[in-house]
Amino acid sequence: MRRVSEVTVIIPCMNEAGSLPGVLGRIPDGYHVVVVDNNSTDDTAEVARAHGATVVGETVPGYGSAVHTGVLAAETEVICVLDGDGSMDPQDLTHLVAALEGADLAVGRRAAGHSPLHARIGNAGLSLRLRTKYKLPVHDLGAIRAVRRQALLDLNVTDRRSGYPLQLLVLASKAGWKVVERDVSYSPRTAGTSKVSGSFKGTVVAVRDFWKVL
């Protein structure tokens, strides 16, 4: 069993002050937390610090930019990535970290039903592409995963927008990584509005970024 002191949780955030207290309160005991503030206009950074997280800023907009900044800031062997909107239970990270004992990358498969229909359709189509073309056993592009930090840096994921999770999976397949998927809980976000699935336009932009990767 991996020591918890070897794990950092990276939470990319833009305007998640309302949901962060609940998320940070559910982080597994002993895990380090790095919140990456990606141009928030609310109190995201202050709330994160008040709840014990290390906060780093990233001014270049984009999910991939925020995640990469968090990876560089982390100092542990293993890192996890989790959204800060309260839709997923941070306690599920322990199952993903444990899965790394026999895998290179562990990703979460969110329970269905809470995302808008257009987001679920886009996610299903892209996941099918990953299973058929890249032979990856995944059914979700969800933003919850565990991986070894140095291996991730060596993989050289360059996408700095919404396509980051997809490019990570494609490059992992090409590198011969063993990728495993574990079920995780999924609920409506606890505050704020999603930047991707919260609007049809946001989903279209994300899917466009995804298909550019493919």
Side-chain angles (χ1 to χ4, degrees):
M1 182 66 67
R2 190 176 303 280
R3 298 193 306 273
V4 294
S5 59
E6 298 174 347
V7 180
T8 295
V9 182
I10 298 166
I11 306 179
C13 288
M14 185 177 73
N15 297 334
E16 301 289 10
S19 56
L20 269 179
V23 174
L24 296 175
R26 291 283 295 169
I27 296 293
D29 290 343
Y31 282 25
H32 303 285
V33 181
V34 173
V35 169
V36 183
D37 184 7
N38 196 205
N39 300 312
S40 295
T41 56
D42 65 1
D43 295 330
T44 289
E46 291 78 7
V47 169
R49 291 190 186 95
H51 286 79
T54 297
V55 178
V56 296
E58 175 52 68
T59 59
V60 177
Y63 175 81
S65 293
V67 171
H68 183 65
T69 294
V71 174
L72 294 178
E75 298 179 350
T76 54
E77 177 189 355
V78 170
I79 58 172
C80 302
V81 178
L82 174 75
D83 277 355
D85 61 8
S87 64
M88 291 171 282
D89 186 354
Q91 290 290 315
D92 286 333
L93 292 172
T94 59
H95 305 301
L96 300 181
V97 170
L100 291 181
E101 296 299 329
D104 300 297
L105 173 65
V107 296
R109 181 181 184 178
R110 296 169 292 183
H114 295 294
S115 294
L117 178 61
H118 57 265
R120 296 200 301 272
I121 291 173
N123 186 55
L126 290 165
S127 297
L128 177 62
R129 180 73 166 174
L130 288 172
R131 294 195 301 276
T132 55
K133 182 176 181 180
Y134 296 99
K135 310 304 179 184
L136 291 170
V138 297
H139 300 77
D140 191 1
L141 300 182
I144 179 170
R145 68 191 73 92
V147 65
R148 294 175 184 83
R149 177 180 179 272
Q150 190 56 54
L152 176 59
L153 290 172
D154 293 343
L155 202 62
N156 193 30
V157 183
T158 58
D159 194 289
R160 295 295 178 258
R161 292 168 56 90
S162 302
Y164 182 98
L166 181 60
Q167 188 187 29
L168 167 58
L169 288 165
V170 169
L171 292 176
S173 173
K174 291 180 177 179
W177 282 19
K178 181 177 180 180
V179 179
V180 298
E181 187 175 67
R182 297 288 183 267
D183 290 338
V184 297
S185 57
Y186 188 54
S187 305
R189 65 164 34 244
T190 55
T193 302
S194 172
K195 290 77 180 172
V196 177
S197 61
S199 70
F200 181 77
K201 179 181 178 181
T203 300
V204 169
V205 171
V207 171
R208 181 190 63 193
D209 290 344
F210 292 154
W211 282 111
K212 283 182 179 179
V213 172
L214 293 176

